[in-house]
């Protein structure tokens, strides 16, 4: 029964163009621009923009990391992983730019003081820097140049990015609310699954 369900999902996934995922991943940004333009982001729209961009980046990164565990369970969504990973980097980079440009106003002295006073910002930057080589090497040409084995080793930096992003979110939000802890738990669970699940017996 389970095999029949996964076979149907795999057959459906093969018929979905990857362009649908790329286009769908831009919908949150379109909504955010519209919400900002129509004053729907509350009393502090800059903070709302930062939070939403960072959260969407973490969500796309989590989704990309789920691809391998799902494949080991029989669901083959591998063709969508690149789009999810690149869009994760895109939103996290926008999150960083929103902080630097909209929040800090490119005041580099204040930015440096913030880095010293708020260690969660450094964690966020670690996550962004870990994702940079992943975005640069996301093309087929880069995979051919690196070789599959080296490319896979390099892309383990996604684990670092996810861990740093989850820790950044937990420390950022004061009072230990449930949401950042749930994301941290989800990251830990996905990384554990990637390490522990056996390889699939069939393609």
């Amino acid at each position: 029964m389970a095999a029949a369900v996964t076979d149907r999902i795999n057959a459906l996934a093969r018929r979905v163009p990857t362009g649908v995922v790329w286009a769908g991943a831009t919908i949150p940004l379109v909504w955010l621009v519209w919400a900002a333009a129509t004053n729907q982001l509350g009393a502090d729209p800059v903070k709302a923009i930062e939070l939403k961009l960072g959260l969407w980046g973490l969500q796309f990164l989590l989704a990309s990391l789920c691809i391998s565990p799902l494949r080991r369970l029989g669901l083959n969504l591998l063709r969508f992983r690149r789009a999810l990973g690149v869009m994760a980097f895109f939103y996290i980079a926008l999150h960083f730019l929103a902080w630097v440009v909209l929040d800090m106003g490119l005041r580099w002295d204040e930015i440096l003081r913030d880095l010293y006073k708020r260690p969660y910002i450094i964690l966020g930057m670690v996550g962004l820097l870990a994702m940079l080589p992943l975005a640069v090497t996301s093309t087929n040409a880069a995979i051919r140049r690196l070789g599959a084995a080296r490319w896979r080793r390099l892309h383990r930096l996604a684990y670092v990015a996810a861990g740093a992003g989850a820790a950044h979110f937990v420390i950022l939000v004061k009072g230990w609310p449930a949401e950042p802890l749930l994301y941290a738990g989800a990251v830990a669970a996905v990384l554990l699954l990637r390490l522990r699940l056996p390889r699939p017996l069939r393609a």
Side-chain angles (χ1 to χ4, degrees):
M1 181 68 176
V5 171
T6 56
D7 286 344
R8 290 194 193 98
I9 295 173
N10 288 337
L12 177 62
R14 284 193 292 270
R15 292 197 292 270
V16 176
T18 55
V20 171
V21 177
W22 288 102
T26 65
I27 291 173
L29 180 60
V30 172
W31 175 85
L32 186 62
V33 171
W34 177 79
T38 54
N39 299 314
Q40 297 186 48
L41 295 178
D44 194 343
V46 170
K47 288 297 183 185
I49 288 169
E50 285 182 47
L51 180 61
K52 290 181 185 300
L53 288 171
L55 190 56
W56 291 330
L58 183 57
Q59 289 169 353
F60 279 114
L61 180 56
L62 264 172
S64 70
L65 289 174
C66 285
I67 297 296
S68 289
L70 288 174
R71 187 164 180 253
R72 293 178 182 184
L73 293 173
L75 289 175
N76 190 354
L77 306 174
L78 193 61
R79 58 200 295 265
F80 304 122
R81 184 167 61 184
R82 179 183 305 178
L84 293 171
V86 171
M87 294 308 294
F89 172 76
F90 173 70
Y91 278 106
I92 291 169
L94 286 181
H95 169 69
F96 172 73
L97 288 174
W99 173 65
V100 169
V101 178
L102 300 180
D103 195 350
M104 305 305 293
L106 295 175
R107 296 185 296 271
W108 297 106
D109 55 337
E110 292 187 26
I111 289 171
L112 291 174
R113 281 198 295 271
D114 252 15
L115 290 174
Y116 176 76
K117 292 188 300 183
R118 298 178 172 87
Y120 66 82
I121 297 177
I122 295 176
L123 281 170
M125 293 183 70
V126 167
L128 175 62
L129 291 174
M131 293 193 70
L132 182 59
L134 309 187
V136 171
T137 60
S138 63
T139 63
N140 291 334
I143 297 172
R144 287 193 296 269
R145 283 196 301 270
L146 288 170
R150 290 175 61 195
W151 183 87
R152 282 194 295 268
R153 285 195 296 271
L154 176 65
H155 277 244
R156 289 174 185 165
L157 284 172
Y159 306 162
V160 176
H168 170 77
F169 190 23
V170 168
I171 301 172
L172 165 67
V173 181
K174 298 177 182 177
W176 298 92
E179 186 181 19
L181 295 177
L182 288 173
Y183 276 97
V187 168
V190 168
L191 296 184
L192 184 62
L193 284 172
R194 287 179 67 94
L195 293 172
R196 295 294 182 87
L197 277 176
R199 295 286 179 183
L201 296 178
R202 62 185 180 89

